[in-house]
């Protein structure tokens, strides 16, 4: 165990735990955008920047990725950390003025939009949460494309993504609502591709796409029901036998 | 070629080529570097070879003519060197073939020795010592000049620990820009757990105007290979990768041939020279992204993923390429390794400064008389390099600034000229060593425009992964464009400085962290120019369009060059008489300033708007 302090409060943590996780244990909130607890960290939005003191030197680090391997003193709201955070929030606000998550952070930190540096309003903050979700699902249907300011998330060559199964994990983890999908009777449309939605034989809800069920490898009998009903139906059978 | 089965066989072979007498015979070397090829050196080579074949006395004397590596003075190409006399000739044409052969056979009455040229005599050539006097496509040629002797010594006399210790003791620091101690890196990788380890060469030289690594890979590829093999032996790696830009086709070709030759000689592959050491090298061609020079982005690219950096809280020597312990060094760093092993760490430290021993190759470019590759001891002053070796500023104009360290280096003013150049001093004064780019600027260079240009370059090369670099550089470039076009606002300099400092503090990788250097250093040393642009709408260098009026001084010789150049017909004057600019007609484009042969035209403030 390693002894550290966060904003002066002492804490013992296991080696390798990130600063963000340690702060969570203490109930200290550090704002995040690209971080998602179900996804591997990326460290790209820099909103979770904190200042640490280590071996006599001070520096800024991304708390979502910095592994604690020795005694450190963390300041989550030092002048330097807050200046960095405001800088990043301001830049995002100029480009994503309609994103609710960004506006909330801007309000919290007293950051206002700079009209002079406004660009074509966009909802995507290029956090790549969607890409990482697709990657850990093993689908790899989307990836970052382009470089610099022109970076964007795309299916290969901007065409219908071949490997996409329409699971909508990307939309689920998107922090700004940039990725949307449209479910109609029997069909889901996402990434400009149409998928067949499967209805639960018990409750009638459209619970997954046919492609997703095939990818997960759910058996034919199981796949007739949504996950919730599956438990109920098979539970009943278990009771009878 | 035969495979050498043991260390003794390597020694015997090396000595047989060294003592075959060819070093004493007259030899003509025609530079085959990219620059000289563009000048038409292939035709010069063909003409000389043809002429030799047709002259009996040349054949009898054993005169040979071959293509060689880059001399570093590409501006004066095609270059030809005659050995053993070491006479160098500039701008040689195919029609000069007869003359060159006469000189090689009977001597040149003018004896254009290296010593008469400050560009060459001011240098301390260690890493570049073989360049131009050896065919880069011949392993025999390399061995003839001492090649692979260091590998033989390392494998015969030294344990991997001793090799690492020698590199540590030499205090060799990374020539790619970081200046990290190579020995510390090697030691850390050697000690890392894990069966699979890698050694990598960073040949992704992307700085505008820099070409030292290209020249080395093109002109002396075996020295990079030899360093890498020794490094693999030291850290316990069985595989090495050379990451080289695909824009360097000749470097790729010469490295590929060198690897093939080394393999067929048994210097690469299984059980090298019977020592039980297995090692092989692969070439990985980069797709042209500047950011791939950053270590983690480079490794991502080698792995076949998009070249974007990762957060580096765990060192590459612990978890690098494919998560295996990895040593990544730059081309020039690797090329230093065989020399350290051969001559010892103490020899290496004989030149240079205590903190940064050895030599460094710079690409000296810009408004300087002699441009090219320059190898000097660390600690040489900027003045020695620019005014000594470089021969001073072109057209005798005043010196204004020098940018060291590539696009994200800082611009240093005249007061910094006495600074001895090494890793630490440059960082102290707000610039950096980088990979060794050195761009000299005269009074016709606008520092706001320079900052805008480099910020724009880095904006274009940002990978876009982290917010500060992706969005912050756009913001900075917008402010700089505003200032350079006369739309700057009071407070813009403070806004820029604030964005620069925060960007440097928050960006994910080295590209973003160093990107604000051109802006911060120009604000620090040339603040007046920013203020003039913003408050007076004036660009003193006569660069920013519309922010000045041209004015002709008494020094005018009436040549009419300005009159012919003016697109607005605002210049008046008769031939051989003093010319004048009609300030109302002048559009402030600077065309006349560029054309004046006697520097008689100055940029002046526009009259009240």
């Amino acid at each position: 165990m390693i002894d550290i302090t966060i904003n002066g409060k002492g804490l013992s943590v296991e080696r390798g735990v990130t600063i963000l996780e340690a702060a969570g244990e203490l109930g200290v909130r550090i704002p995040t955008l690209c971080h998602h607890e179900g996804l591997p960290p990326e460290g790209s939005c820099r909103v979770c920047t904190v200042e640490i003191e280590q071996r006599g030197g001070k520096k800024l680090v991304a708390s979502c990725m910095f592994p604690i391997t020795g005694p450190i003193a963390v300041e989550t709201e030092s002048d330097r950390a807050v200046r960095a955070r405001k800088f990043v929030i301001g830049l995002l606000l100029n480009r994503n003025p309609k994103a609710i998550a960004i506006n909330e952070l801007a309000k919290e930190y007293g950051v206002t939009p700079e009209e002079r540096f406004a660009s074509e309003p966009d909802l995507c903050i290029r956090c790549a949460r969607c890409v990482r979700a697709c990657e850990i699902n093993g689908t790899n249907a989307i990836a970052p494309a382009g470089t610099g300011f022109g970076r964007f998330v795309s299916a290969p060559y901007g065409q219908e993504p071949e490997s996409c199964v329409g699971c909508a994990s990307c939309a689920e983890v998107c922090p700004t609502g940039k990725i949307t999908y449209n479910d109609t009777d029997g069909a889901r449309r996402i990434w400009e591709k149409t998928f067949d939605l499967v209805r639960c034989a018990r409750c009638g809800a459209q619970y997954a796409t046919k492609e997703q069920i095939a990818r997960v490898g759910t058996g034919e009998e199981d796949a007739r029901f949504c996950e919730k009903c599956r438990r109920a139906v098979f539970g009943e059978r278990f009771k009878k036998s | 070629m035969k495979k050498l089965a043991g260390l003794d066989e390597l020694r015997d072979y090396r000595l047989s080529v060294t003592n075959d007498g060819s070093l004493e015979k007259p030899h003509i070397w025609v530079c085959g570097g990219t620059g000289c090829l563009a000048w038409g050196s292939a035709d010069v080579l063909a003409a000389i070879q043809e002429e030799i074949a047709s002259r009996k006395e040349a054949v009898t004397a054993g005169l040979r003519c071959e293509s060689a590596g880059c001399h570093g003075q590409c501006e004066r190409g095609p270059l030809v060197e005659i050995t053993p006399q070491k006479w160098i000739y500039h701008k040689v044409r195919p029609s000069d073939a007869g003359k060159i052969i006469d000189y090689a056979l009977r001597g040149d009455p003018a004896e254009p020795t290296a010593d008469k040229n400050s560009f060459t005599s001011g240098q301390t050539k260690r890493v570049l010592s073989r360049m131009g006097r050896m065919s880069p496509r011949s392993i025999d040629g390399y061995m003839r000049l001492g090649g692979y002797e260091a590998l033989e010594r390392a494998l015969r006399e030294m344990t991997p620990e001793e090799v690492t210790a020698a590199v540590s003791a030499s205090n060799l620091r990374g020539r790619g820009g970081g200046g990290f101690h190579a020995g510390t890196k090697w030691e850390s990788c050697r000690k890392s757990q894990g069966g699979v380890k890698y050694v990598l060469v960073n040949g992704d030289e992307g700085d505008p105007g820099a070409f030292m690594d290209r020249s080395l890979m093109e002109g002396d590829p075996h020295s990079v290979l030899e360093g890498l093999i020794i490094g693999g032996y030291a850290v316990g790696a069985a595989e090495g990768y050379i990451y080289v830009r695909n824009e360097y086709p000749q470097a790729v070709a010469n490295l590929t041939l060198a690897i093939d030759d080394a393999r067929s000689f048994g210097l690469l592959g299984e059980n090298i020279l019977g020592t039980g050491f297995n090692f092989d090298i692969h070439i990985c061609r980069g797709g042209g992204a500047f950011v791939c020079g950053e270590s983690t982005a480079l490794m991502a690219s080698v792995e076949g993923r998009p070249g974007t950096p990762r957060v580096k809280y765990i060192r590459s020597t612990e978890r690098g390429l494919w998560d295996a312990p990895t040593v990544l060094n730059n081309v020039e760093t690797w090329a230093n390794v065989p020399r350290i092993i051969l001559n010892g760490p103490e020899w290496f430290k004989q030149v240079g400064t205590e903190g940064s021993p050895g030599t460094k190759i710079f690409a000296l470019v810009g408004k300087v008389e002699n441009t090219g590759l320059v190898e000097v001891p660390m600690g040489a002053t900027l003045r020695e390099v620019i005014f000594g070796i470089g021969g001073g500023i072109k057209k005798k104009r005043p010196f204004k600034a020098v940018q060291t360290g590539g696009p994200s280096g800082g611009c240093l003013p005249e007061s910094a000229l006495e600074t001895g150049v090494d890793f630490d001093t440059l960082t102290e004064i707000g610039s950096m060593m980088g990979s060794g780019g050195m761009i000299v600027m005269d009074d016709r260079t606008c520092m706001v425009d320079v900052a805008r240009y480099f910020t724009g370059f880095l904006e274009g090369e940002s990978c876009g992964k982290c917010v500060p670099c992706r969005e912050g550089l756009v913001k900075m470039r917008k402010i700089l464009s505003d200032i350079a076009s006369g739309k700057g606002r009071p407070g813009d300099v403070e806004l820029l400085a604030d964005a620069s400092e925060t960007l440097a503090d928050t960006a994910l990788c080295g590209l973003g962290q160093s990107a604000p250097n051109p802006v911060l250093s120009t604000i620090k040393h040339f603040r007046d120019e920013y203020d003039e642009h913003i408050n007076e709408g004036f660009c003193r260098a006569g660069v920013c369009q519309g922010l000045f009026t041209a004015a002709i001084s008494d020094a005018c010789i009436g040549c009419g060059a300005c009159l012919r150049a003016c697109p607005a017909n605002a210049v008046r004057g008769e031939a051989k008489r003093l010319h004048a600019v009609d300030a109302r007609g002048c559009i402030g484009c600077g065309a006349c300033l560029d054309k004046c042969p006697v520097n008689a035209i100055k940029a002046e403030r526009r009259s009240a708007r």
Side-chain angles (χ1 to χ4, degrees):
Chain A
M1 298 297 272
I2 297 161
D3 292 329
I4 63 162
T5 64
I6 299 180
N7 299 346
K9 282 185 256 181
L11 175 72
S12 250
V13 295
E14 261 180 69
R15 190 187 166 81
V17 162
T18 66
I19 293 175
L20 186 67
E21 287 163 342
E25 275 183 49
L26 272 182
V28 173
R29 181 180 158 267
I30 300 171
T32 58
L33 278 174
C34 70
H35 178 79
H36 185 288
E37 58 185 12
L39 300 173
E42 172 108 331
S44 66
C45 76
R46 317 308 276 179
V47 165
C48 72
T49 295
V50 296
E51 187 170 7
I52 64 164
E53 191 174 345
Q54 187 185 30
R55 287 183 229 112
K58 287 189 172 187
K59 61 175 177 181
L60 294 184
V61 298
S63 63
C64 70
M65 286 198 82
F66 189 87
I68 297 165
T69 54
I72 51 169
V74 181
E75 290 294 334
T76 66
E77 300 293 320
S78 72
D79 289 350
R80 191 174 165 195
V82 169
R83 182 188 182 193
R85 212 171 286 154
K86 285 168 93 166
F87 177 65
V88 171
I89 295 168
L91 292 172
L92 287 170
L93 190 63
N94 290 339
R95 191 163 189 192
N96 314 99
K98 289 181 181 143
I100 293 165
I102 305 298
N103 275 287
E104 281 172 357
L105 276 176
K107 208 171 159 192
E108 184 183 340
Y109 281 90
V111 178
T112 49
E114 301 163 294
E115 206 184 310
R116 181 179 178 190
F117 306 111
S119 50
E120 184 74 19
D122 191 1
L123 274 178
C124 178
I125 61 166
R126 285 128 184 103
C127 65
R129 276 201 202 182
C130 51
V131 174
R132 284 174 281 154
C134 197
E135 199 174 314
I136 62 166
N137 278 342
T139 334
N140 287 308
I142 50 173
T147 60
F149 191 77
R151 186 176 167 96
F152 64 105
V153 173
S154 170
Y157 307 104
Q159 294 174 354
E160 270 187 24
E162 215 173 287
S163 61
C164 178
V165 294
C167 72
S169 298
C170 48
E172 185 63 36
V173 296
C174 178
T176 58
K178 164 78 177 182
I179 303 176
T180 55
Y181 58 93
N182 188 19
D183 284 358
T184 51
D185 190 22
R188 167 174 295 169
R189 198 150 166 81
I190 187 167
W191 292 106
E192 298 188 20
K193 195 174 167 183
T194 307
F195 300 89
D196 292 331
L197 279 170
V198 176
R199 260 183 212 290
C200 172
R202 185 163 175 265
C203 70
Q206 302 190 116
Y207 80 94
T209 66
K210 216 175 177 177
E211 292 79 357
Q212 188 186 354
I213 291 166
R215 161 137 196 109
V216 175
T218 314
E220 210 176 301
E221 177 66 12
D222 293 13
R224 290 177 54 222
F225 308 104
C226 72
E227 278 191 49
K228 207 172 164 190
C229 293
R230 210 176 289 160
R231 277 195 210 104
V233 171
F234 296 121
E236 283 296 315
R237 286 186 199 167
F238 184 70
K239 215 161 71 181
K240 278 175 199 163
S241 65
Chain B
M1 270 172 266
K2 61 166 195 165
K3 193 165 180 162
L4 305 169
L7 290 162
D8 289 348
E9 281 190 31
L10 170 61
R11 183 197 55 210
D12 295 345
Y13 188 83
R14 282 196 308 101
L15 294 177
S16 74
V17 289
T18 313
N19 300 324
D20 67 358
S22 34
L23 284 174
E24 291 80 42
K25 284 193 188 124
H27 213 119
I28 299 170
W29 300 102
V30 178
C31 178
T34 296
C36 281
L37 279 178
W39 279 113
S41 74
D43 294 340
V44 175
L45 178 73
I48 297 176
Q49 284 176 335
E50 225 169 84
E51 179 103 9
I52 289 175
S54 69
R55 278 162 72 163
K56 225 180 214 165
E57 51 161 354
V59 179
T60 326
L63 177 64
R64 292 190 62 196
C65 176
E66 277 180 272
S67 172
C70 176
H71 282 82
Q73 235 184 329
C74 310
E75 189 192 24
R76 308 256 159 106
L79 263 81
V80 169
E81 178 163 355
I82 296 176
T83 55
Q85 294 91 336
K86 298 186 180 175
W87 292 335
I88 295 174
Y89 300 87
H90 297 148
K91 295 192 180 292
V92 178
R93 303 273 161 257
S95 55
D96 298 328
K99 203 165 68 186
I100 296 283
I101 291 168
D102 287 345
Y103 293 162
L105 293 175
R106 285 187 283 276
D108 180 355
E111 290 200 11
T113 53
D115 292 320
K116 286 183 187 164
N117 185 339
S118 70
F119 181 82
T120 313
S121 63
Q123 299 191 41
T124 305
K125 291 201 176 189
R126 282 182 162 188
V127 177
L128 294 176
S129 61
R130 295 192 193 91
M131 300 284 278
R133 290 171 195 150
M134 172 196 82
S135 166
R137 298 180 65 79
S138 158
I139 192 168
D140 286 0
Y142 179 67
M143 289 195 192
R144 197 169 281 130
L145 298 181
Y148 289 115
E149 193 181 344
L151 177 67
E152 187 193 318
R153 172 169 302 177
L155 294 180
R156 190 195 292 276
E157 300 170 13
M158 299 166 89
T159 61
E161 291 80 7
E162 285 167 341
V163 173
T164 309
V167 173
S168 285
S170 75
N171 205 1
L172 171 68
R173 297 175 67 174
R175 262 58 179 160
F180 195 79
H181 291 104
T184 310
K185 238 187 223 183
W186 289 30
E187 190 68 47
S188 158
C189 179
R190 206 178 58 73
K191 285 183 177 159
S192 283
Q193 302 295 315
V196 179
K197 291 175 187 177
Y198 296 101
V199 280
L200 306 184
V201 181
N202 187 345
D204 191 63
E205 180 180 53
D207 296 3
F211 55 105
M212 40 265 155
D213 294 346
R214 188 196 75 207
S215 287
L216 270 174
M217 290 186 287
E218 285 178 0
D220 196 1
H222 281 287
S223 69
V224 183
L225 258 54
E226 190 179 358
L228 193 62
I229 302 171
I230 293 171
Y233 172 69
V235 305
E239 271 182 288
Y241 282 87
I242 302 179
Y243 190 86
V244 50
R245 312 175 72 199
N246 203 30
E247 295 95 321
Y248 286 174
Q250 204 194 134
V252 173
N254 288 2
L255 282 167
T256 306
L257 180 74
I259 291 172
D260 288 347
D261 284 353
R263 214 175 269 147
S264 48
F265 267 78
L267 303 174
L268 285 175
E270 305 264 302
N271 190 18
I272 292 170
L273 300 169
T275 59
F277 168 51
N278 305 323
F279 186 76
D280 212 340
I281 299 176
H282 315 279
I283 287 181
C284 184
R285 290 175 299 160
F290 179 74
V291 72
C292 284
E294 198 279 340
S295 62
T296 57
L298 185 150
M299 288 177 207
S301 179
V302 173
E303 289 171 11
R305 295 185 286 118
T308 49
R310 65 168 170 82
V311 177
K312 210 163 61 171
Y313 297 134
I314 299 168
R315 290 223 170 99
S316 299
T317 49
E318 289 171 41
R319 202 189 291 169
L321 186 64
W322 285 298
D323 287 344
T326 302
V327 166
L328 171 71
N329 279 131
N330 140 287
V331 170
E332 193 184 333
T333 315
W334 286 115
N336 267 296
V337 169
R339 290 161 172 94
I340 291 170
I341 297 303
L342 201 56
N343 304 309
E346 290 311 314
W347 167 85
F348 183 74
K349 287 193 279 193
Q350 276 168 12
V351 301
T353 59
E354 203 186 332
S356 310
T359 59
K360 177 78 192 83
I361 307 173
F362 293 97
L364 183 65
V365 296
K367 303 286 182 64
V368 66
E369 276 295 335
N370 307 322
T371 63
L373 288 188
V374 171
E375 184 176 1
V376 289
M378 291 273 192
T381 64
L382 286 166
R383 185 180 294 283
E384 281 163 4
V385 175
I386 297 165
F387 288 88
I389 296 167
I393 310 301
K394 267 203 166 82
K395 285 190 180 177
K396 299 204 166 28
R397 297 196 77 102
F399 168 90
K400 186 187 253 183
V402 57
Q403 191 198 29
T404 69
S408 43
C411 297
L412 301 169
E414 197 168 1
S415 60
L417 280 178
E418 309 308 330
T419 306
V421 181
D422 71 20
F423 290 106
D424 308 314
T425 52
L426 283 177
T427 311
E428 270 165 37
I429 57 175
S431 185
M432 59 184 204
M433 178 73 86
S435 58
M438 205 178 266
I439 302 174
V440 180
M441 304 167 192
D442 65 6
D443 64 332
R444 281 280 283 121
T445 314
C446 166
M447 301 317 288
V448 175
D449 183 61
V450 165
R452 184 193 59 79
Y453 171 79
F454 284 115
T455 305
F457 174 84
L458 294 162
E459 175 196 350
E461 293 296 344
S462 163
C463 79
K465 181 172 176 176
C466 80
V467 176
C469 180
R470 182 183 70 228
E471 313 284 338
L473 285 173
V474 177
K475 176 175 174 173
M476 285 169 59
R477 200 254 312 133
K478 276 182 182 166
I479 302 172
L480 288 161
S481 296
D482 280 353
I483 298 175
S485 58
K487 287 181 273 184
R489 308 172 189 182
D492 269 2
V493 177
E494 288 70 24
L495 194 61
L496 257 182
D498 180 63
S500 300
E501 286 163 17
T502 327
L503 171 48
D505 216 12
T506 47
L508 191 156
C509 82
L511 189 152
Q513 287 157 11
S514 62
N517 278 340
V519 173
L520 286 171
S521 61
T522 48
I523 290 178
K524 185 176 171 195
H525 300 298
F526 303 95
R527 172 71 194 246
D528 289 359
E529 289 192 40
Y530 280 90
D531 290 340
E532 281 168 2
H533 279 75
I534 295 169
N535 302 332
E536 304 174 55
F538 175 51
C539 173
R540 66 166 84 168
V543 171
C544 295
Q545 303 271 299
L547 297 193
F548 62 94
T549 302
I552 301 174
S553 75
D554 292 349
C556 173
I557 53 169
C559 71
C562 51
L563 192 145
R564 289 187 293 276
C566 181
N569 292 323
V571 182
R572 305 269 177 271
E574 287 168 39
K576 298 191 176 155
R577 290 268 178 81
L578 190 67
H579 284 47
V581 177
D582 172 10
R584 284 164 304 174
C586 176
I587 56 169
C589 70
C592 55
L593 278 91
D594 292 329
K595 291 287 182 218
C596 180
V598 292
N599 301 339
I601 312 181
K602 301 272 177 293
E604 288 197 344
R605 283 173 174 75
R606 290 174 304 165
S607 41
R609 274 171 284 178

